[in-house]
Amino acid sequence: MEVMMNKLRFFTALSKCFGYITWAASNAIILVGKVSKKTVDRFSHLERYDVDIFHDQEQMDKKLNISHKELLKLIDSIEVFPNISLIVTKRKTECTNTL
């Protein structure tokens, strides 16, 4: 009976270790994906925009320096709300990358 309990404890510990390793690897992959996406968006040469979001006549939010892709997502997300309007201004391009 004692041998069976030791095997059970061993396999329980082994399965917990495997679960923690899998969880850590999954989160590392997600983190690398988010960081790489933000890095590519930050240094891409695509146009950048500032967006003011209004509900009726009141300003609700302001998004600064968003990419074209993020602007399209924002437009798609607000089209179901009838009283929301956007003011989109193109950012002036600045050369921030120095060698």
Side-chain angles (χ1 to χ4, degrees):
M1 187 69 168
E2 184 67 31
V3 173
M4 188 66 133
M5 289 301 291
N6 286 337
K7 286 183 181 180
L8 185 60
R9 286 186 188 133
F10 172 74
F11 286 121
T12 301
L14 189 64
S15 66
K16 281 185 181 181
C17 287
F18 181 71
Y20 288 135
I21 289 169
T22 305
W23 174 78
S26 171
N27 284 336
I29 290 170
I30 290 170
L31 179 65
V32 166
K34 286 181 180 180
V35 168
S36 64
K37 179 185 179 295
K38 286 187 178 186
T39 303
V40 167
D41 281 347
R42 190 58 145 169
F43 292 110
S44 68
H45 297 292
L46 299 175
E47 299 293 333
R48 308 298 281 184
Y49 303 93
D50 292 337
V51 180
D52 296 320
I53 304 170
F54 289 89
H55 181 264
D56 291 328
Q57 299 298 323
E58 183 179 335
Q59 185 175 2
M60 290 177 31
D61 196 7
K62 186 172 197 162
K63 304 281 185 183
L64 300 174
N65 199 24
I66 64 172
S67 67
H68 183 75
K69 184 177 180 181
E70 291 169 329
L71 177 63
L72 292 177
K73 282 183 182 179
L74 181 64
I75 291 170
D76 287 341
S77 69
I78 66 153
E79 68 183 10
V80 295
F81 301 106
N83 297 329
I84 300 290
S85 60
L86 301 177
I87 296 177
V88 180
T89 54
K90 190 184 226 183
R91 286 187 72 99
K92 299 207 188 285
T93 57
E94 300 173 358
C95 183
T96 57
N97 297 343
T98 58
L99 298 177

